[in-house]
Amino acid sequence: MTGLQRQMESKTIGQEWDALCQCPGRQDVIFYYVGYFSQNIISAMAEAVKTRIEYVGAEGMTRRKLFSSFVEMAQNIIHYSADFFERVGHGTEGMRHGSVCISAKGEHYFLHCANPVKIEIAERLRERLEHVRSLTIDEIKREYKATLRAETPEDSKGAGLGLLTMARDASAPLEFEFTPASAAGNVMFYLKATI
């Protein structure tokens, strides 16, 4: 059994995500979006997220961490979602489908994202996330700085730095899981960060 298969057997975050999706009007949900992502859409959502997290009274450093992690999750969807919509006449510019949710409970904030990914990308994400989860906060900071100075690997679209950014800002290890998706050859990728 591969690590990916073991991950797919756990449904804790997926079940949590399903509950969030059924209740976008809940008091603890600060921001929720499901649909196609593009750079323009992320820019528009970023303004809404800034306003919402200020409105709920998040502290300055917490606001920065929430916003930074939100942007990284949205970028991750643009880079890796297997659900792709190419607009006719816009060259290689396209939009990718996914979901993102920010919620709060007590003193903690939770960021979730979900999107389908191809199985080979899922395996790379799993390996990368397991590595990041194995690091201490000081190791995460050192690896973040080293990654900033290093050249981007050919098969990376910046996700390595994005995951380190989220791990650096999180108050608990990043959580993730993969579950079977409806489309053949794809799996659903769920990622959760606690701030």
Side-chain angles (χ1 to χ4, degrees):
M1 180 180 290
T2 67
L4 181 58
Q5 289 170 323
R6 284 192 297 275
Q7 277 294 318
M8 291 174 65
E9 289 184 355
S10 173
K11 298 187 180 205
T12 304
I13 301 175
Q15 290 170 342
E16 191 175 336
W17 177 257
D18 288 341
L20 286 170
C21 291
Q22 292 169 7
C23 305
R26 286 181 359 202
Q27 294 294 318
D28 61 333
V29 175
I30 295 168
F31 182 84
Y32 173 77
Y33 173 82
V34 58
Y36 283 98
F37 285 67
S38 69
Q39 293 300 341
N40 289 338
I41 291 171
I42 291 176
S43 295
M45 284 193 294
E47 289 303 315
V49 168
K50 274 185 189 174
T51 302
R52 288 290 297 147
I53 57 181
E54 286 176 16
Y55 177 78
V56 298
E59 300 287 329
M61 181 61 75
T62 301
R63 286 200 307 264
R64 185 200 63 74
K65 291 177 177 179
L66 281 167
F67 185 75
S68 172
S69 293
F70 161 77
V71 169
E72 293 301 338
M73 285 186 170
Q75 291 293 342
N76 213 34
I77 290 170
I78 283 184
H79 290 151
Y80 297 107
S81 176
D83 188 348
F84 181 76
F85 173 75
E86 187 173 354
R87 292 188 293 173
V88 175
H90 287 79
T92 58
E93 181 185 350
M95 298 189 294
R96 294 182 185 260
H97 195 272
S99 309
V100 64
C101 182
I102 303 173
S103 63
K105 185 174 183 181
E107 297 179 356
H108 292 286
Y109 294 88
F110 306 95
L111 290 97
H112 289 80
C113 70
N115 59 277
V117 295
K118 294 187 181 300
I119 191 81
E120 62 271 17
I121 290 176
E123 192 58 39
R124 289 201 312 257
L125 282 170
R126 183 192 60 77
E127 289 172 6
R128 184 69 184 145
L129 280 159
E130 284 181 351
H131 168 71
V132 170
R133 283 175 52 87
S134 73
L135 302 175
T136 65
I137 188 64
D138 288 338
E139 291 169 333
I140 289 170
K141 290 176 180 176
R142 280 196 296 273
E143 192 161 318
Y144 177 85
K145 289 178 182 175
T147 304
L148 274 178
R149 291 190 293 264
E151 296 208 11
T152 304
E154 287 183 21
D155 63 340
S156 175
K157 297 177 183 175
L161 193 56
L163 295 177
L164 287 168
T165 300
M166 285 185 271
R168 183 195 60 186
D169 290 344
S171 61
L174 298 177
E175 298 176 59
F176 68 98
E177 71 180 35
F178 297 94
T179 61
S182 56
N186 296 331
V187 295
M188 281 301 295
F189 171 51
Y190 299 94
L191 181 62
K192 177 182 176 183
T194 302
I195 305 291

